[in-house]
């Protein structure tokens, strides 16, 4: 692992993937302050406050509009990466965060809840275009040697966990958790985006993109020399030329062509299952509404922010364990065990909520289950679906596959973020059993269908499916 390869991995993960994690969790701790702002603004405008139902609906929209923006952004990825390349797409997308930070940062001063919602949608648009869901894993998957592809492929998931953890720490009452600081809390995202915007132009484009899609052998060789730190890159060049020759009669496929292509139907189905399953596993409900879940478990209100930070620290540790063991254990064991752990813990939350009135100690079982869900997710399901999307397809199909996976990811993210409060009100403790079933079914599918891809070239993986 060379310093240039590590530095570009850290920069794009810090400036994009970490923002995704931060924006997933940033609305959790200031929920009461944002609702109070909405209510006060509504009262000033119309002479009366909002009832509980409409206020919940407005806040649910604020939470879930992030995913709707991500869905729109993921649909634009194909054009973006084809026109500007991986590096260029990341640089241009960082400008969106500066705009979003301005909207959210000045929303209270201007008395405009609409600016919060617009800012959230723009951060989602940025995340859908470039974060850990699409361009970052695509870029890292293409610059990494095959023996490091798993390690670098999970780095974005580590930074997603770090982003969530930073949001939880900054949301403490001693830092930015007070009512007067929540606009600043939402707009902190401009700092890593600005750093990425300033530094990313110093790094070269993906060698695989330069050679296969732009036929720029000289540029690809220079980029490989820079990333790998060795003058001898001929073997890698020959491998990419072989892939280019195999694709010489095949144009870059569209999403519609991908869905119609029978030769990759199992790969496409696998991308659909793991990406949709990742979001329908219930992890977004846990991240968006951690404080609410802990309140329902009757954890004292004063202790909830610190309990939440504790879960964030555990998810970072779990992500690091997954990152440093994936090249030894492989993809399949981590993702299967992760989904199984989540399924068991989701069932455990249901049991703990049903029994905590009769058995007060069950509330601690509920907290342990939340920790188990987050740890299980961060060990495998957090990053491996993105890595698999890169590994299961050759260059001609890969951008379209990322659009399919990213779109499903965001659509499911929006659905869970929007309906979970209402599902929780109607189904109570049993709402978690739906997510439990999804987790166990995805684990079974991966076990039966998806092969191990560790230390295989993209062409070897494609032949395995064939």
């Amino acid at each position: 692992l060379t310093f240039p390869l590590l530095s570009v991995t850290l920069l794009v993960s810090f400036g994009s993937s970490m923002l995704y994690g931060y924006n997933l969790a940033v609305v959790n701790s200031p929920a009461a302050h944002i609702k109070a702002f909405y209510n006060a603004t509504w009262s000033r405008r119309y002479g009366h406050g909002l009832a509980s139902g409409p206020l919940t609906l407005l806040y649910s929209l604020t939470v879930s509009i992030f995913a709707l923006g991500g869905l729109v952004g993921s649909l634009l990825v194909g054009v973006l990466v084809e026109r500007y390349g991986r590096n260029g797409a990341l640089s241009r997308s960082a400008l969106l965060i500066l705009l979003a930070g301005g909207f959210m940062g000045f929303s209270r001063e201007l008395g405009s809840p609409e600016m919060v919602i617009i800012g959230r949608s723009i951060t989602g648009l940025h995340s859908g275009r470039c974060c850990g869901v699409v361009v970052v894993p695509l870029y890292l998957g293409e610059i990494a040697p095959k023996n490091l592809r798993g390690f670098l492929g999970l780095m974005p998931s580590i930074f997603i966990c770090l982003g969530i953890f930073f949001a939880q720490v900054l949301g403490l009452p001693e830092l930015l958790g007070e009512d007067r600081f929540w606009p600043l809390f939402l707009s902190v995202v401009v700092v890593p985006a600005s750093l990425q915007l300033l530094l990313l132009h110093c790094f070269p484009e993906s060698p695989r993109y330069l050679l296969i899609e732009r036929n720029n052998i000289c540029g690809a060789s220079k980029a490989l020399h820079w990333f790998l730190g060795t003058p001898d890159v001929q073997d890698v060049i020959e491998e990419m030329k072989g892939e280019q020759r195999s694709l010489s009669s095949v144009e870059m496929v569209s999403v519609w062509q991908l869905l119609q292509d029978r030769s990759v139907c199992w790969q496409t189905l696998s991308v659909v299952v793991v990406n949709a399953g990742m979001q329908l596993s219930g992890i977004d409900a846990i991240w968006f509404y951690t404080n609410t879940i802990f309140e329902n478990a009757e954890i004292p209100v004063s202790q909830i922010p610190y309990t939440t930070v504790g879960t964030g620290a555990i998810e970072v540790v779990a992500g690091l364990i997954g990152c440093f063991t994936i090249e030894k254990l492989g993809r399949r064991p981590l993702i299967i065990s992760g989904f199984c752990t989540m399924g068991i813990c989701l069932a455990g939350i249901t049991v703990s909520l049903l029994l905590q009135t009769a058995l007060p100690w069950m509330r601690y079982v509920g907290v342990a289950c939340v920790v188990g869900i987050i740890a299980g997710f961060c060990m495998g399901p957090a990053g491996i679906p993105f890595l698999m999307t890169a590994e299961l397809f050759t260059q001609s199909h890969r951008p379209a596959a990322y659009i399919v996976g990213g779109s499903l990811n965001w659509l499911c993210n929006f659905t869970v973020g929007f309906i979970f409060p209402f599902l929780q009100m109607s189904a109570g403790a049993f709402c978690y059993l739906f997510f439990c079933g999804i987790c166990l079914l995805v684990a079974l599918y991966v076990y039966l269908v998806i092969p191990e891809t560790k230390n295989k070239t993209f062409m070897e993986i494609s032949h395995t499916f064939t």
Side-chain angles (χ1 to χ4, degrees):
L1 181 61
T2 63
F3 177 75
L5 196 58
L6 180 61
S7 59
V8 72
T9 301
L10 293 176
L11 179 64
V12 298
S13 298
F14 175 74
S16 295
S17 300
M18 195 174 77
L19 294 187
Y20 172 53
Y22 187 88
N23 284 305
L24 279 175
V26 73
V27 290
N28 181 44
S29 60
H33 306 316
I34 295 174
K35 288 179 180 178
F37 166 65
Y38 287 177
N39 202 30
T41 305
W42 194 274
S43 182
R44 283 197 303 271
R45 289 181 182 179
Y46 305 107
H48 60 86
L50 282 164
S52 176
L55 184 60
T56 300
L57 181 64
L58 189 59
Y59 181 71
S60 294
L61 179 63
T62 305
V63 172
S64 55
I65 198 71
F66 171 71
L68 197 60
L71 174 62
V72 175
S74 67
L75 295 174
L76 302 174
V77 164
V79 176
L80 198 66
V81 297
E82 186 177 348
R83 179 175 299 177
Y84 301 113
R86 286 57 166 149
N87 190 306
L90 290 169
S91 297
R92 286 165 174 79
S93 294
L95 293 170
L96 291 172
I97 287 295
L98 305 184
L99 179 63
F103 270 105
M104 295 185 293
F106 292 103
S107 59
R108 188 172 61 181
E109 294 297 322
L110 299 176
S112 175
E114 295 85 357
M115 291 178 67
V116 180
I117 296 172
I118 292 171
R120 286 281 294 169
S121 66
I122 295 174
T123 58
L125 184 65
H126 165 268
S127 293
R129 288 173 66 171
C130 72
C131 82
V133 179
V134 186
V135 182
V136 171
L138 178 63
Y139 185 31
L140 296 182
E142 290 182 352
I143 68 174
K146 64 182 180 181
N147 63 312
L148 291 175
R149 204 165 56 225
F151 174 76
L152 295 185
L154 281 192
M155 285 297 284
S157 69
I158 298 296
F159 277 83
I160 290 172
C161 294
L162 281 172
I164 294 166
F165 179 64
F166 287 148
Q168 292 165 342
V169 171
L170 290 177
L172 291 173
E174 294 83 355
L175 297 175
L176 300 181
E178 294 185 12
D179 178 60
R180 60 196 175 111
F181 289 133
W182 68 261
L184 176 62
F185 186 30
L186 296 183
S187 58
V188 164
V189 291
V190 301
V191 176
S194 300
L195 185 64
Q196 178 171 282
L197 190 63
L198 288 171
L199 298 180
L200 197 56
H201 70 278
C202 301
F203 297 95
E205 185 53 80
S206 158
R208 191 170 294 273
Y209 167 80
L210 291 172
L211 193 148
I212 296 176
E213 296 185 33
R214 290 290 178 260
N215 201 31
N216 185 351
I217 298 175
C218 180
S221 298
K222 289 180 179 178
L224 282 171
H225 288 313
W226 193 88
F227 282 125
L228 302 182
T230 174
D232 184 15
V233 295
Q234 194 58 38
D235 290 344
V236 185
I237 292 289
E238 290 302 321
E239 179 205 326
M240 290 192 288
K241 283 183 177 179
E243 185 174 345
Q244 185 188 40
R245 285 192 295 271
S246 71
L247 300 173
S248 58
S249 60
V250 181
E251 296 181 356
M252 300 299 289
V253 303
S254 66
V255 171
W256 182 243
Q257 290 171 325
L258 175 70
L259 297 176
Q260 289 183 310
D261 191 344
R262 291 180 176 272
S263 66
V264 293
C265 62
W266 280 105
Q267 291 99 310
T268 305
L269 180 60
S270 298
V271 166
V272 169
V273 169
V274 296
N275 279 279
M278 177 178 63
Q279 297 298 339
L280 295 178
S281 64
I283 190 62
D284 287 319
I286 299 295
W287 276 333
F288 287 152
Y289 301 104
T290 303
N291 285 11
T292 304
I293 292 169
F294 287 161
E295 286 173 10
N296 291 340
E298 298 183 5
I299 301 297
V301 175
S302 60
Q303 297 179 16
I304 286 177
Y306 306 97
T307 308
T308 304
V309 169
T311 63
I314 290 169
E315 71 192 47
V316 172
V317 173
L320 288 170
I321 291 172
C323 188
F324 284 100
T325 58
I326 188 171
E327 293 299 350
K328 183 175 182 179
L329 299 178
R331 283 64 161 154
R332 276 165 47 89
L334 284 177
I335 195 168
I336 291 171
S337 60
F339 274 116
C340 287
T341 301
M342 293 178 73
I344 293 168
C345 290
L346 283 160
I349 286 183
T350 302
V351 173
S352 69
L353 290 174
L354 290 173
L355 298 180
Q356 69 182 18
T357 302
L359 302 170
W361 54 269
M362 289 298 292
R363 71 183 65 173
Y364 301 108
V365 174
V367 173
C369 287
V370 169
V371 171
I373 291 166
I374 293 174
F377 180 78
C378 292
M379 262 196 201
I384 292 177
F386 307 137
L387 176 61
M388 280 185 169
T389 304
E391 292 185 331
L392 297 185
F393 293 91
T394 54
Q395 194 79 7
S396 60
H397 292 68
R398 197 173 293 128
Y402 264 106
I403 293 173
V404 170
S407 300
L408 272 172
N409 193 295
W410 287 109
L411 183 61
C412 295
N413 185 305
F414 171 79
T415 303
V416 172
F418 189 76
I419 70 169
F420 180 72
F422 304 99
L423 182 65
Q424 198 175 37
M425 285 190 288
S426 60
F430 295 102
C431 67
Y432 298 100
L433 293 181
F434 167 77
F435 302 123
C436 170
I438 294 290
C439 288
L440 298 179
L441 286 174
V442 173
L444 181 64
Y445 177 89
V446 174
Y447 177 76
L448 294 175
V449 175
I450 300 180
E452 181 56 66
T453 58
K454 181 179 71 170
N455 288 337
K456 294 180 180 178
T457 66
F458 296 123
M459 294 300 293
E460 289 171 344
I461 296 166
S462 181
H463 289 319
T464 300
F465 266 97
T466 304

